[in-house]
Amino acid sequence: MPYEHLRFSRELPLTDRHRRRFPGVRPPADPHGHVQKPQRDFARAVEQATQQDLGGYDERLLIKIQLRHGATVPELSAIVGVELVSQEDKSIILAFADRAGLAEFESRLSTLARDGKATRADLLYALQDFGHWTPEDRTGVALRQQGFPELDTFMLDVELWPQDRADRRDAMLTSFLAQLRERNIEQLDDLKQPSLVMVRLRCSREQAESFLLRHRDVRTVDLPPRTGVTVDMVRSDINEIPQTQQPPADAPIVAMLDAGIAAGHPLLAPAVGDAQGFLPPPRHAYDNPPYWHGTFVSGLALYSDVENCLNQRNFVPQLRLLSGKVFEDDGHDQTEFVEKAVEEAVREFHAQYGCRIFNLSYGDRNKVYDGRHVRGLAYTLDRLTRELSVLFVVPTGNLTFDELPDDPRRNYPDYLLKDSVRLLDPAPALNVLTVGGIAHHTATRDAQNYPNQIEALPVAQEAQPFPLTRRGPSINGAIKPDLVEHAGNIAVTRMGGRIQRQGLGLLSICGDFANGRPFAEDIGTSYATPQVVHRAARLLAEVPDASHNLLRALLGAHARWPQATIELINNNNQPGDKERLLQLIGYGRIDDEALYRSLDQTVTLLAEEQIENDKCHFYELPIPDSFWSRGRRAREITVALAYSPDIRTT
């Protein structure tokens, strides 16, 4: 059941503290009895791994270990010859072990069972039982749900076990590819990252079951992604969609600062309240339809997920739109400062309509952030934010295809971390929300139409950084982007390296609707931005007195790092992993399940105060007893703070 978010205020300092709980797992009352079952399981696991698993690139065996309830991952490196490979969930870990490591493991278990004590017995106490990685364990979710395709041969994605050392990754992949060739299994592509090694291949069901699902080095086998915007969706008939109603009179207002919008589009018209030009004559008026960019952005701000709305044949606007034309999208140089047009539009819409949320999907390609002061437009937005208490949402900016490396798939995502891929102005602005991109679709139109003739392979997988997104940080290491949203994807053809984007973009409203094109598809962080604007406006409807800082804090508090990006970037918890994640995806993507209203298991507390310099405020969190009870389980408290500092170009 949804509830309004709770308000709380300052309290006096609290001096009581909770006693520290015992870390880790206590020794069992009967060490002899505790180790007898794991000892038997260990011998059986070694036998099964030896007899049932096909060999890997070296002679080590792969052992699956079940941890005791509440145990942390033990330091298996204390046993020479044993190496932790992965933690698959809270209680399952995988380890490689050579002959010496297996013998040492067995010896310690035997000693503990006989004497009740052994070297590093605390390590053994954390273990519940042993097993081996079965074909069922290797079967991915999609393959488990859908089964093998009813074809003689088909594509599969095979993930190999991550390896800490680069030489081992190379050896493992080289060995695996050689075995594919020996069995006449066609390799389509491979991906090698510090913590991710994958192979896309074409094989038969017999080859998958007898080889892939039994290979020691195979972590999972699954069906490749099959998503994308289809031609049918882009060509949908606007007349087949029920007439769109006007939003409520008290719906929150969003201003689109862009190159103009096609205000007469049937899906936009009911929500557009005003459309003005803020460029000097002769560019002041709306004189260059079809306003492609602004209309596309506005559709995403109004509906967020246009593709889903089209699938449901249901478009219900919950916001009201204003349009301010502040730049041209005609490919010609603009002689006017965009900063001036933006400021005029913001002051006009704020004074006349009380508008407090502004979308500016704009990036200056000639102003790549160089690590020094913020530039003109960023400074303008920072200043207006502080003065008017309004919220700006801007994109990180995009790379062009010409700026991509020769082989973007093989160099992804490393090329995104180069200095040349820093933010575009105004993305470095500190008081705004800067939005980066993550990938959404992974199948081009050709791939959807001809699934057995894949010639174009996506650069990014779902929820990984958009291949053209730019990265932070901003001045003094300030975290940018703040958030990320879907921005589309690109694919590279296997022959010739040609880049494709059809079917990989976001679907939105097209300004050329009068010529029979009500919808269009495109990619870019410009289109990630309005999705965040949509959430900010809906949040404002629930908390109408929220300042721009409270909106920023609430959005940030509900943001999470996508797991696919964590797995892509993390290098086995090496130094710099967190920094790379922050540079590419900031605080992550908003989970809006409990964003607008609190739920039974997810509650948001909010407060707004003004604090003087060198002063402290203390707050008491009214956490119920049930939060601490019910034994060991996942709990999380997120604290988000936002404020708007006074920005100078110095």
Side-chain angles (χ1 to χ4, degrees):
M1 178 178 177
Y3 309 91
E4 289 186 7
H5 294 325
L6 302 179
R7 306 266 180 170
F8 73 126
S9 57
R10 276 185 297 167
E11 300 288 344
L12 296 175
L14 297 178
T15 56
D16 295 338
R17 68 179 179 89
H18 293 285
R19 292 188 178 184
R20 294 178 60 88
R21 300 194 177 194
F22 181 83
V25 175
R26 294 182 183 276
D30 179 15
H32 298 273
H34 166 76
V35 80
Q36 289 178 357
K37 182 178 183 301
Q39 188 180 20
R40 294 192 301 268
D41 291 340
F42 180 77
R44 186 180 67 252
V46 171
E47 180 182 4
Q48 290 174 334
T50 302
Q51 296 179 354
Q52 299 180 23
D53 286 356
L54 299 179
Y57 75 95
D58 59 16
E59 296 181 352
R60 294 180 298 173
L61 295 183
L62 180 68
I63 304 297
K64 181 169 69 171
I65 303 173
Q66 175 80 41
L67 300 180
R68 287 180 63 192
H69 177 71
T72 58
V73 178
E75 297 179 3
L76 295 180
S77 59
I79 300 178
V80 177
V82 177
E83 178 187 355
L84 179 67
V85 179
S86 170
Q87 181 175 7
E88 293 301 295
D89 58 28
K90 293 180 180 179
S91 60
I92 298 292
I93 61 175
L94 280 298
F96 280 137
D98 59 20
R99 292 184 179 181
L102 292 172
E104 178 66 18
F105 225 132
E106 185 177 24
S107 174
R108 293 194 188 191
L109 287 170
S110 299
T111 301
L112 185 60
R114 183 186 66 246
D115 302 335
K117 58 183 179 179
T119 303
R120 289 302 306 272
D122 59 317
L123 184 154
L124 303 178
Y125 292 151
L127 310 182
Q128 187 71 33
D129 56 33
F130 297 85
H132 85 292
W133 201 241
T134 66
E136 290 74 21
D137 291 325
R138 291 185 173 94
T139 303
V141 176
L143 184 58
R144 190 181 309 125
Q145 293 176 344
Q146 302 177 34
F148 290 106
E150 297 295 332
L151 299 168
D152 292 339
T153 61
F154 42 81
M155 287 200 311
L156 290 174
D157 282 349
V158 176
E159 182 180 356
L160 306 181
W161 290 107
Q163 300 290 327
D164 287 340
R165 289 167 36 182
D167 60 337
R168 287 183 174 177
R169 286 195 297 273
D170 293 339
M172 179 180 63
L173 183 58
T174 300
S175 172
F176 185 73
L177 295 181
Q179 293 181 65
L180 292 183
R181 290 191 292 270
E182 291 173 1
R183 291 165 172 79
N184 294 319
I185 298 176
E186 181 184 4
Q187 174 204 354
L188 300 176
D189 197 19
D190 63 78
L191 176 66
K192 183 175 63 176
Q193 300 288 348
S195 188
L196 180 67
V197 181
M198 294 188 67
V199 177
R200 179 165 290 177
L201 49 80
R202 189 187 305 279
C203 68
S204 66
R205 178 167 183 166
E206 190 279 330
Q207 290 170 324
E209 292 178 334
S210 64
F211 174 64
L212 299 179
L213 291 174
R214 295 180 55 211
H215 196 288
R216 187 209 69 175
D217 291 343
V218 171
R219 187 180 196 178
T220 58
V221 177
D222 212 347
L223 300 173
R226 309 301 319 150
T227 60
V229 177
T230 66
V231 175
D232 290 340
M233 297 187 70
V234 176
R235 294 177 178 173
S236 296
D237 187 351
I238 193 69
N239 296 317
E240 296 178 357
I241 300 173
Q243 184 175 358
T244 304
Q245 303 299 314
Q246 290 187 342
D250 59 349
I253 300 172
V254 170
M256 312 304 296
L257 305 180
D258 213 281
I261 65 173
H265 194 294
L267 298 180
L268 287 183
V272 177
D274 193 1
Q276 299 184 38
F278 293 93
L279 295 175
R283 297 187 173 192
H284 186 280
Y286 276 57
D287 53 7
N288 63 338
Y291 318 112
W292 162 264
H293 188 268
T295 302
F296 198 96
V297 170
S298 297
L300 293 168
L302 188 58
Y303 299 108
S304 184
D305 192 341
V306 175
E307 183 176 333
N308 181 63
C309 293
L310 182 56
N311 283 328
Q312 302 293 328
R313 290 297 192 270
N314 186 32
F315 288 82
V316 181
Q318 298 173 292
L319 320 173
R320 290 183 291 158
L321 295 180
L322 304 173
S323 174
K325 182 179 178 180
V326 297
F327 60 85
E328 291 287 356
D329 190 29
D330 56 8
H332 299 293
D333 292 336
Q334 183 169 314
T335 59
E336 306 86 1
F337 280 113
V338 69
E339 290 88 343
K340 294 171 65 176
V342 166
E343 180 159 356
E344 183 182 355
V346 170
R347 293 190 181 279
E348 171 72 16
F349 288 150
H350 181 263
Q352 186 171 354
Y353 301 102
C355 183
R356 297 161 54 196
I357 300 177
F358 294 84
N359 186 105
L360 179 59
S361 291
Y362 178 89
D364 187 344
R365 298 190 184 280
N366 288 332
K367 291 187 177 66
V368 179
Y369 183 60
D370 59 3
R372 295 181 292 180
H373 66 274
V374 294
R375 306 296 289 270
L377 187 53
Y379 167 71
T380 300
L381 301 186
D382 277 337
R383 177 173 52 82
L384 290 172
T385 296
R386 184 176 171 89
E387 178 183 345
L388 301 178
S389 188
V390 296
L391 177 66
F392 290 101
V393 188
V394 303
T396 56
N398 306 310
L399 294 172
T400 65
F401 289 165
D402 292 339
E403 293 173 303
L404 290 173
D406 292 337
D407 189 349
R409 296 191 75 250
R410 189 165 297 278
N411 291 282
Y412 174 85
D414 294 341
Y415 69 84
L416 292 176
L417 295 166
K418 294 182 177 179
D419 285 341
S420 59
V421 189
R422 296 289 291 271
L423 306 166
L424 297 182
D425 185 53
L430 298 182
N431 295 338
V432 310
L433 281 179
T434 302
V435 184
I438 54 173
H440 187 27
H441 296 309
T442 55
T444 64
R445 290 181 189 166
D446 286 343
Q448 296 171 67
N449 293 331
Y450 308 103
N452 295 317
Q453 300 178 14
I454 303 302
E455 297 297 335
L457 301 174
V459 172
Q461 297 301 313
E462 293 269 355
Q464 292 179 349
F466 171 53
L468 301 178
T469 194
R470 289 182 171 271
R471 59 95 172 177
S474 181
I475 190 169
N476 288 338
I479 294 173
K480 292 287 176 178
D482 300 274
L483 305 167
V484 288
E485 256 300 344
H486 289 146
N489 202 352
I490 60 173
V492 179
T493 56
R494 294 169 57 199
M495 300 298 293
R498 183 169 55 89
I499 293 177
Q500 294 189 13
R501 54 193 279 184
Q502 288 187 335
L504 297 172
L506 301 179
L507 190 76
S508 190
I509 294 170
C510 181
D512 198 23
F513 71 96
N515 293 321
R517 298 182 60 212
F519 300 98
E521 173 200 352
D522 203 1
I523 61 175
T525 58
S526 283
Y527 311 131
T529 302
Q531 298 172 71
V532 172
V533 163
H534 177 88
R535 286 164 173 76
R538 289 186 58 190
L539 185 57
L540 186 60
E542 296 292 340
V543 191
D545 61 342
S547 70
H548 67 288
N549 277 327
L550 182 54
L551 292 176
R552 290 168 63 201
L554 288 171
L555 293 170
H558 289 268
R560 298 294 183 270
W561 284 344
Q563 186 61 33
T565 298
I566 295 176
E567 294 173 357
L568 174 71
I569 301 300
N570 270 4
N571 186 16
N572 298 304
N573 295 318
Q574 294 299 311
D577 286 349
K578 181 178 180 181
E579 287 71 20
R580 286 187 284 271
L581 282 165
L582 291 172
Q583 287 176 9
L584 285 173
I585 61 173
Y587 299 105
R589 183 171 185 247
I590 299 168
D591 179 357
D592 58 7
E593 180 183 10
L595 174 63
Y596 311 117
R597 291 272 177 138
S598 293
L599 305 176
D600 289 335
Q601 302 299 324
T602 306
V603 178
T604 296
L605 308 176
L606 55 91
E608 283 201 270
E609 297 280 357
Q610 291 187 355
I611 183 170
E612 298 178 5
N613 288 338
D614 301 320
K615 301 294 183 182
C616 292
H617 286 185
F618 292 87
Y619 294 85
E620 178 181 0
L621 299 180
I623 299 176
D625 293 338
S626 59
F627 185 83
W628 307 110
S629 61
R630 301 178 188 173
R632 292 185 178 273
R633 57 188 174 85
R635 306 174 182 85
E636 183 176 281
I637 296 178
T638 298
V639 180
L641 307 175
Y643 85 113
S644 297
D646 189 10
I647 305 299
R648 298 180 178 88
T649 58
T650 55

